[in-house]
């Protein structure tokens, strides 16, 4: 496909009139680089994701919720979710106590 002089001219005008915050070849947008820089113009690291919670703490919180609700459904749900956890034995004992 041949490009005519008008096509080449329009492309050149787009490049010339492009804003400076557009992507440079192989780089980040200019404004992103500025946004990630400190006051001296040096790039700074992006904030990191906080570490994941301790799974045993989450299970303990779920057990406490079931214990506060003190219903058969709450303990059954806890046992269904965490049947192999040591707190499941406590939940089973509470479930037996509620059944009486």
């Amino acid at each position: 496909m041949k490009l005519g002089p008008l096509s080449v001219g329009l492309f050149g005008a787009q490049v010339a009139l492009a804003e400076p915050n557009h992507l440079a070849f192989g780089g980040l947008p200019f404004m992103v680089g500025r946004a990630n820089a400190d006051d001296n113009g040096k790039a700074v690291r992006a904030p990191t994701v906080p570490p994941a919670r301790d799974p045993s703490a989450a299970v303990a919180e779920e057990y406490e919720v079931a214990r506060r609700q003190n219903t058969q459904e709450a303990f059954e749900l806890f046992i269904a979710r965490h049947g192999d956890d040591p707190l499941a034995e406590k939940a089973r004992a509470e479930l037996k106590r509620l059944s009486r």
Side-chain angles (χ1 to χ4, degrees):
M1 174 176 163
K2 282 179 117 177
L3 293 178
L6 181 61
S7 299
V8 173
L10 288 175
F11 178 74
Q14 284 181 329
V15 171
L17 296 175
E19 295 181 32
N21 63 352
H22 284 357
L23 283 178
F25 291 111
L28 290 173
F30 178 73
M31 296 306 288
V32 170
R34 292 279 180 145
N36 289 338
D38 63 6
D39 291 335
N40 297 328
K42 296 180 183 175
V44 294
R45 287 185 60 179
T48 58
V49 176
R53 288 181 57 194
D54 180 22
S56 61
V59 172
E61 285 178 10
E62 283 189 49
Y63 175 74
E64 286 302 315
V65 169
R67 196 178 59 75
R68 274 187 257 127
Q69 289 178 350
N70 201 30
T71 63
Q72 184 175 353
E73 293 81 17
F75 287 116
E76 286 174 349
L77 180 62
F78 179 82
I79 293 167
R81 287 183 178 171
H82 309 287
D84 57 344
D85 193 81
L87 287 174
E89 290 304 317
K90 288 185 176 182
R92 287 184 184 97
E94 291 291 328
L95 192 58
K96 284 182 185 177
R97 185 187 58 80
L98 284 174
S99 298
R100 294 180 194 171

